[in-house]
């Protein structure tokens, strides 16, 4: 038991020691399975992982690219998805998918949060918030939330669950946003668009201050950024300047 505790705590689970890690040549697969004698990663064919310290099994596999599907086979007895899966395209019992999180080009790069005293929170269930029930469909409703005065969008649990509809409280794969709502990049786009609207709000203030102080050039520069961010309020202001 002491060795098992060392394996988890010594390698800092919160730093994502779990899960596949893309490399220049392919990917490194990792699984913590201290009670197992053998672990294989199942790709087009099985590849044996090497047992290391504290119950960790690892293997470097060449040629692996984002989008690759895989499972783990334990002791030649049971095939399981990755407990640290980033995405389950075929639900919780299907294969896991290798995701390149660095591939998403974030637009709201200056997002730093907002003061807690400004929080007006709306809790939303992705599956019921729109008729489509997807992350992407929620983006079209963000302007409505802003106009209503909502400043914080709280999503009900997203961890992958069995089936296509669920309140989210019995998710079983904590790092994988459920595929019923879309792909990981769709969730990132929703977050990104929400943050862009906050940045647009801050830019509106800069424009108003610039115009009030007669600093037209500064205001117009802010307008250019605001136009890129989009949103109903942005379009309204641009038509009145």
């Amino acid at each position: 038991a002491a060795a098992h505790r060392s394996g988890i705590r010594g390698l800092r689970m919160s730093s994502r020691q779990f899960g596949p890690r893309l490399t220049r040549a392919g990917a490194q697969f990792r699984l913590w399975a201290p009670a197992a004698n053998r672990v294989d990663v199942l790709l087009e064919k099985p590849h044996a992982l090497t047992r290391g310290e504290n119950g960790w099994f690892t293997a470097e596999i060449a040629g692996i690219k984002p989008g690759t599907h895989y499972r783990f086979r334990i002791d030649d007895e049971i095939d399981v998805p990755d407990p640290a899966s980033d995405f389950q395209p075929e639900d919780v019992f299907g294969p896991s998918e290798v995701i390149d999180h660095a591939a998403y080009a974030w637009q709201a790069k200056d997002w730093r949060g907002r003061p807690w005293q400004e929080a007006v929170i709306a809790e939303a269930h992705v599956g019921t918030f729109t008729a489509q029930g997807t992350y992407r469909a929620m983006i079209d409703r963000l302007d409505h939330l802003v106009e209503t005065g909502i400043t914080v969008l709280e999503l009900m649990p997203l961890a992958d669950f069995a089936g296509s509809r669920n309140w989210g409280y019995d998710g079983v794969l904590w790092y994988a946003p459920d595929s019923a709502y879309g792909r990981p990049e769709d969730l990132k786009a929703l977050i990104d668009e929400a943050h862009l609207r906050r940045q647009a709000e801050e830019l509106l203030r800069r424009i108003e201050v610039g115009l009030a102080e007669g600093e037209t050039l500064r205001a117009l520069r802010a307008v250019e950024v605001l136009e890129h961010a989009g949103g109903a309020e942005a379009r309204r202001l641009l038509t009145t300047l």
Side-chain angles (χ1 to χ4, degrees):
H4 296 178
R5 288 195 297 271
S6 173
I8 286 290
R9 297 169 69 180
L11 288 175
R12 297 177 62 193
M13 184 191 299
S14 61
S15 297
R16 289 304 307 270
Q17 297 295 331
F18 285 94
R21 181 167 55 198
L22 287 165
T23 64
R24 290 185 178 180
Q28 180 189 60
F29 291 92
R30 300 165 289 177
L31 182 69
W32 188 69
N37 295 312
R38 177 187 175 93
V39 174
D40 296 270
V41 59
L42 304 182
L43 298 161
E44 292 182 355
K45 63 179 182 179
H47 296 262
L49 276 65
T50 301
R51 187 185 184 103
E53 295 181 354
N54 301 319
W56 283 93
F57 288 80
T58 61
E60 295 261 1
I61 310 294
I64 301 301
K65 298 184 181 300
T68 298
H69 291 184
Y70 69 99
R71 286 187 175 93
F72 289 117
R73 177 169 291 165
I74 300 176
D75 291 336
D76 287 323
E77 294 179 354
I78 183 173
D79 296 349
V80 298
D82 189 344
S85 172
D86 287 316
F87 188 53
Q88 293 291 118
E90 300 174 25
D91 213 348
V92 296
F93 297 110
S96 303
E97 181 176 324
V98 176
I99 298 294
D100 181 8
H101 286 294
Y104 183 83
W106 292 94
Q107 301 300 308
K109 297 178 181 179
D110 295 330
W111 172 254
R112 296 294 182 273
R114 64 187 303 158
W116 178 246
Q117 64 269 21
E118 296 181 5
V120 180
I121 304 171
E123 183 182 39
H125 184 279
V126 177
T128 61
F129 192 74
T130 65
Q132 298 89 338
T134 65
Y135 303 121
R136 291 281 179 181
M138 290 190 76
I139 294 175
D140 294 334
R141 303 295 295 163
L142 290 177
D143 288 337
H144 172 71
L145 293 178
V146 172
E147 293 164 4
T148 305
I150 301 299
T151 62
V152 177
L153 178 60
E154 177 186 356
L155 301 181
M156 293 182 68
L158 302 174
D160 208 350
F161 49 79
S164 60
R165 289 292 178 261
N166 194 289
W167 284 113
Y169 296 117
D170 54 353
V172 295
L173 293 169
W174 293 103
Y175 300 108
D178 197 89
S179 59
Y181 305 145
R183 294 183 54 83
E185 55 267 30
D186 298 328
L187 175 57
K188 292 176 183 179
L190 170 60
I191 295 169
D192 210 12
E193 289 290 337
H195 290 171
L196 282 173
R197 280 156 177 77
R198 168 57 175 167
Q199 290 184 206
E201 179 183 328
E202 293 174 349
L203 285 166
L204 284 171
R205 293 175 184 171
R206 293 185 202 173
I207 293 169
E208 290 166 355
V209 170
L211 291 175
E213 296 178 355
E215 297 183 15
T216 306
L217 182 59
R218 186 176 71 174
L220 289 176
R221 285 176 180 170
V223 168
E224 291 177 0
V225 180
L226 183 63
E227 186 174 21
H228 174 72
E233 182 63 15
R235 291 188 294 272
R236 183 197 64 77
L237 183 73
L238 290 169
T239 59
T240 59
L241 288 177

